Every structure is written in C-alpha cells, then in structure tokens.
C-alpha cells in the first residue's frame, strides 16, 4: 500500500491541508472518536486528514473522572489536545475547517472544505451530537463549575447527596431521575405545565420518592447552583441541574452522502462501524450507543483496524 512506503520523516509535522490534498482516510470530526481513529490509522502508516470544526462536545467537559487512565480527572480540552498531539506525532494532518460536502469519486471520495478539496479512499464520519438544553443563564459558566451537567453516566458520582433538578421531556426526565436516585435521594423533576407529566409518570415518581415541581418558570443563578422560580412565586434551590431534553444528531453530512440513518438521525452501522455506503464508517456519538469517551475510543479502534485490513489485505 502507498502509505506503508512513505518515509516517516515525510509524514511528521504536517498540520494543514491544501487544495487537492490526497489521503487514504478523511476523518470528519476532531472529537475523541475521530482523533483516536487518526492515531490508529497513523500507526498503521496510512495518510490521514482530520477535518475539525472545533465543536466537539468534549470541549464542554470541565473535569472527567470516569475516563480510564486519568484517576485525578482530566478536562475535555486537555484530553483533546493530548489526542491531537498524539495523532500529529503519527503523521495525521489536522485541519481546522468544516467539510461542506463529500461526493463519491473514482476510487474514493472528494470533500470540499474552505481550505480546498480533499480526496480520500475512505471516509470516517465522527460529527457527533449537540445536547438540547433549556434557557439557562450563564450556561457555559455553569457547566464549567458543575452546576449544570449533561451526562449522569459520566458524572452522577459527583452529585452524591446533592440537591438535583431534572428538566426535560417526560420519559427522558423520568429515566434520568431514576438513574440519579442511586446517587442522591434529593431528586426533583421540573414541569412547565401540569399536563407535562402523565399520571403514570407521577405515580412512578411518587413510588420512587422523586419530587415533582409543576409550573416551573425560570432559573436564576446563585453562588452555589440555581434557584428554580415557579409561576406561583415559590423558590426552590438546586445544586445541580440535569437537562434531559435529548440531542440533535449531526448527521446532515451523512444523509447528504446517502448514508442510512435511523428515525432519530443516528447513522446505522455494522459490527465493523461500516455504514450503508461502501468505504464510509461512522464512529462516536454519531452512532446510537452509550455516549462515552471509552466507547468512542473502542469504535475508533474497530473502524480503523477494519479499514486497514481492507486496504492491506482486502478482507475484514
């Protein structure tokens, strides 16, 4: 294969793409999944270009304490920088840009970016998701200090015995509230209107000792969390807010390429992370699974190894 014959010194130190850049693999998305795939593919001695719009969900992580290998915790920006450094060390070309379109070409794909055209034999889609959140004042500041948290699987341990509010759509809010009950007995679900939660949901919440506040109006930030103001003027204090409103899947590029997605917008893949379009893989939060960094790393390793075997030997 062409990439295996490239001299290592030729591969190191490339940090930007130019028009008509050629690659074995184009990775769209510079989050944990995309960068981990770049590391694997680089170590397999393939030419890799990562196009990153700088919008990784991991950028919002103030301190992750469930990422394997970091017992003291690590911030999302720090983890991403480490991954970028490691990917570049093995020859990946890192482009701060956005892929506006990807079309099939003879022998691969052609992608258009602001920096020019990139031609690759295979494409890895790692464009991720965007969390849907309510109107919360000083949201980014609150996420940074842990007053607003987006993933109870990631950080439920950090809210042990604290006052927690869950706001969101009925089924999602109840599921998240039930999950959080293993960490704290002080869980409240917030509803904007009385009909927001059904009789069944209210019965389950009551059985599990989960409080429900109806007629929620707005949040007001405090030094130690948020006040929830109800429409009758009542004020409740919470240390932590968990939005449970779902997410928007960044699958527009995949859909434009004709990649099959499920009704929720997630890309459908097989056990090798292959999509319905030959030569296109999907990894990370773009695929419906447990949205965790460890899972993204695993998907990246699976996809990169499968692509390498296809390049080198023509089999799985």
């Amino acid at each position: 294969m062409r990439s295996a014959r490239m001299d290592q010194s030729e591969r190191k130190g490339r940090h930007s793409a130019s028009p008509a850049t050629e690659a074995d693999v184009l990775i769209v998305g510079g989050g944990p999944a995309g960068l981990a795939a770049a590391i694997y593919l680089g170590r397999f001695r393939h030419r890799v270009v990562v196009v990153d719009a700088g919008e990784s969900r991991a950028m919002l992580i103030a301190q992750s304490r469930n990422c394997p290998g970091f017992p003291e915790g690590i911030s999302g920006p720090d983890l991403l920088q480490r991954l970028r450094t490691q990917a570049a060390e093995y020859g990946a070309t890192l482009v701060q840009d956005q892929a506006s379109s990807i079309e099939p070409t003879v022998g691969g794909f052609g992608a258009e970016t602001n920096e020019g055209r990139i031609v690759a034999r295979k494409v890895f889609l790692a464009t991720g998701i965007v969390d849907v959140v309510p109107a919360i004042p000083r949201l980014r500041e609150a996420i940074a200090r842990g007053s607003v948290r987006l993933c109870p699987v990631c950080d439920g341990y950090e809210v042990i015995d604290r006052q927690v509010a869950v706001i969101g759509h009925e089924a999602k809010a109840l599921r998240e509230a039930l999950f959080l009950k293993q960490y704290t007995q002080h869980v409240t679900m917030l509803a904007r209107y009385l009909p927001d939660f059904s009789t069944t949901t209210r019965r389950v919440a009551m059985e599990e000792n989960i409080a429900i506040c109806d007629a929620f109006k707005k949040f007001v930030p405090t030094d130690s969390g948020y006040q929830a103001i109800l429409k009758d003027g009542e004020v409740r204090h919470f240390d932590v807010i968990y939005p449970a409103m779902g997410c928007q899947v960044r699958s527009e590029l995949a859909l434009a390429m004709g990649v099959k997605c499920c009704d929720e917008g997630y890309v459908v893949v097989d056990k090798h992370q292959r999509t319905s379009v030959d030569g296109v893989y999907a990894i990370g939060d773009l695929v419906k699974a447990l949205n965790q960094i460890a899972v993204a790393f695993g998907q990246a390793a699976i996809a990169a190894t499968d692509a390498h075997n296809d390049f080198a030997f023509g089999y799985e």
Side-chain angles (χ1 to χ4, degrees):
M1 62 189 168
R2 161 68 178 85
S3 57
R5 296 195 297 267
M6 293 180 69
D7 183 77
Q8 188 70 11
S9 62
E10 177 187 347
R11 294 169 50 80
K12 287 189 177 183
R14 298 186 300 179
H15 296 287
S16 62
S18 57
T21 296
E22 294 185 6
D24 293 326
V25 179
L26 166 64
I27 300 174
V28 184
L35 292 171
I39 292 167
Y40 270 78
L41 289 162
R43 288 176 58 82
F44 287 143
R45 305 193 70 190
H46 292 292
R47 298 170 300 173
V48 182
V49 175
V50 180
V51 175
D52 178 21
E55 299 173 351
S56 171
R57 187 169 178 248
M59 288 292 293
L60 296 172
I61 300 173
Q63 194 79 354
S64 174
R65 293 181 175 85
N66 77 330
C67 185
F70 296 95
E72 74 286 359
I74 186 169
S75 73
D78 187 10
L79 178 63
L80 291 174
Q81 185 53 51
R82 289 173 183 241
L83 292 169
R84 283 192 288 264
T85 299
Q86 192 172 359
E89 174 66 22
Y90 294 108
T93 299
L94 309 178
V95 183
Q96 190 72 31
D97 204 344
Q98 192 163 2
S100 56
S101 66
I102 302 177
E103 299 290 343
T105 64
V106 176
F109 302 88
E112 299 299 331
T113 75
N114 293 329
E115 294 296 319
R117 184 172 176 82
I118 301 172
V119 177
R121 296 165 64 189
K122 293 184 184 294
V123 172
F124 279 34
L125 298 176
T127 47
I129 62 175
V130 178
D131 292 286
V132 177
V133 297
I136 300 177
R138 303 177 190 171
L139 177 61
R140 284 190 172 270
E141 177 186 330
I143 291 174
R145 70 170 186 258
S147 297
V148 174
R149 296 180 179 272
L150 302 174
C151 177
V153 174
C154 301
D155 52 33
Y157 190 90
E158 275 66 55
V159 303
I160 290 175
D161 295 333
R162 304 186 75 186
Q163 295 284 344
V164 174
V166 178
I167 181 169
H169 306 301
E170 181 175 20
K172 294 184 189 309
L174 180 60
R175 184 168 62 247
E176 202 147 301
L178 290 169
F179 183 88
L180 287 162
K181 277 298 298 289
Q182 66 187 303
Y183 299 105
T184 176
Q185 294 301 306
H186 313 296
V187 180
T188 300
M189 294 168 58
L190 300 178
R192 291 190 178 276
Y193 304 98
L194 191 63
D196 284 357
F197 297 146
S198 67
T199 301
T200 301
T201 292
R202 292 175 184 276
R203 184 182 68 251
V204 173
M206 183 178 67
E207 291 171 351
E208 297 296 330
N209 198 29
I210 296 171
I212 292 180
C213 280
D214 290 309
F216 163 75
K217 184 178 180 181
K218 64 179 180 179
F219 289 112
V220 175
T222 69
D223 292 339
S224 59
Y226 278 88
Q227 289 180 337
I229 312 298
L230 307 186
K231 291 180 181 178
D232 62 3
E234 184 181 356
V235 177
R236 298 285 186 92
H237 173 82
F238 296 102
D239 301 312
V240 178
I241 301 167
Y242 274 97
M245 305 177 74
C247 63
Q248 296 175 345
V249 186
R250 287 176 164 154
S251 54
E252 298 87 354
L253 193 60
L255 289 167
M257 296 176 67
V259 170
K260 182 180 179 181
C261 296
C262 72
D263 292 341
E264 297 170 88
Y266 293 99
V267 173
V268 177
V269 296
D270 66 9
K271 65 181 182 179
H272 301 287
Q273 304 299 133
R274 300 169 183 164
T275 72
S276 60
V277 174
D278 189 36
V280 179
Y281 295 76
I283 55 178
D285 292 350
L286 185 63
V287 177
K288 189 171 184 179
L290 186 62
N291 294 339
Q292 295 285 290
I293 291 170
V295 173
F297 285 167
Q299 292 174 340
I302 290 169
T305 302
D306 184 79
H308 168 68
N309 286 339
D310 189 47
F311 279 138
F313 312 112
Y315 65 78
E316 299 178 4

